[in-house]
Amino acid sequence: MYKRINWKWVVAAIIIFACFIAFILPWQSEKLKEVTGGGESPDSSFLYSADELYQMAEHYGEAGRSAYIQGRFTFDMIWPLAYLFLLVVLISVLYRVLPATSRWRWINLLPFLGWGMDMLENVGASLVMFRYPEQTPVIAELTPVFTLLKWCMIYASFAALVPGLLVVAFHYFRKRKV
């Protein structure tokens, strides 16, 4: 990835991400809010329990659960690719000034962990919604863990941009000084 990614990729990733944030995310959020009656969603929660997941399923009603599941396997398969693309591209561009042997260059894989947890969260929450009112004990207990790990990995990926900027600044400062 380090050799292939250039500034054209950065511009494309930023435009795609910005379009999602500005247009698609608010539209999808409003659409889901209408069908589910508003309230909390596993996707946007940081911490919740299996019991709270079942309460969300109850609150959504049959039509809301159906819309939620459909959203997880349409919109929520594409949106994570948008933030994954942005984070991998930005981290790769920033950390490529490090030597090829540096272990820190592996940090561009961190967003993939967030994306993977997001996919597991989608599957888990969808199974709970699909089977409701039947209980899905193991999945219902694991889904909040996937959500927490998703957010931790995504936040860590965004946080990795800060030292990446410092690495680039230090690299260019040092290069100019020599």
Side-chain angles (χ1 to χ4, degrees):
M1 286 186 275
Y2 282 104
K3 290 180 182 178
R4 297 210 166 152
I5 292 176
N6 58 39
W7 291 102
K8 292 177 187 173
W9 288 79
V10 171
V11 170
I14 290 171
I15 289 171
I16 291 168
F17 186 79
C19 286
F20 263 89
I21 292 291
F23 306 112
I24 299 169
L25 218 52
W27 170 76
Q28 179 65 26
S29 177
E30 192 58 41
K31 183 178 162 186
L32 187 63
K33 193 184 291 184
E34 286 174 17
V35 180
T36 62
E40 204 172 355
S41 169
D43 304 89
S44 58
S45 302
F46 189 73
L47 289 173
Y48 61 94
S49 66
D51 289 338
E52 289 169 311
L53 183 59
Y54 288 124
Q55 289 171 4
M56 289 177 220
E58 171 69 28
H59 178 77
Y60 287 0
E62 191 172 328
R65 288 190 300 274
S66 179
Y68 178 85
I69 293 167
Q70 182 181 5
R72 292 327 92 202
F73 291 98
T74 53
F75 164 77
D76 214 13
M77 297 304 249
I78 299 166
W79 161 237
L81 291 175
Y83 72 69
L84 175 67
F85 181 49
L86 176 78
L87 290 168
V88 168
V89 165
L90 292 179
I91 291 171
S92 295
V93 161
L94 294 172
Y95 285 84
R96 73 177 169 191
V97 299
L98 295 175
T101 57
S102 174
R103 289 185 199 174
W104 284 104
R105 288 177 64 129
W106 288 90
I107 201 159
N108 70 348
L109 299 178
L110 186 60
F112 285 99
L113 294 174
W115 174 81
M117 291 299 115
D118 199 347
M119 294 301 105
L120 290 172
E121 170 201 65
N122 290 343
V123 170
S126 294
L127 279 170
V128 169
M129 297 291 170
F130 178 75
R131 293 198 46 177
Y132 188 83
E134 295 295 320
Q135 300 285 298
T136 313
V138 174
I139 301 297
E141 294 294 332
L142 285 174
T143 300
V145 175
F146 297 146
T147 302
L148 175 64
L149 291 173
K150 169 191 83 169
W151 287 117
C152 288
M153 295 300 125
I154 291 170
Y155 291 150
S157 297
F158 277 103
L161 298 174
V162 175
L165 288 168
L166 295 173
V167 165
V168 168
F170 181 74
H171 172 78
Y172 286 111
F173 176 74
R174 218 172 101 194
K175 195 174 179 180
R176 289 185 110 176
K177 207 173 186 184
V178 174

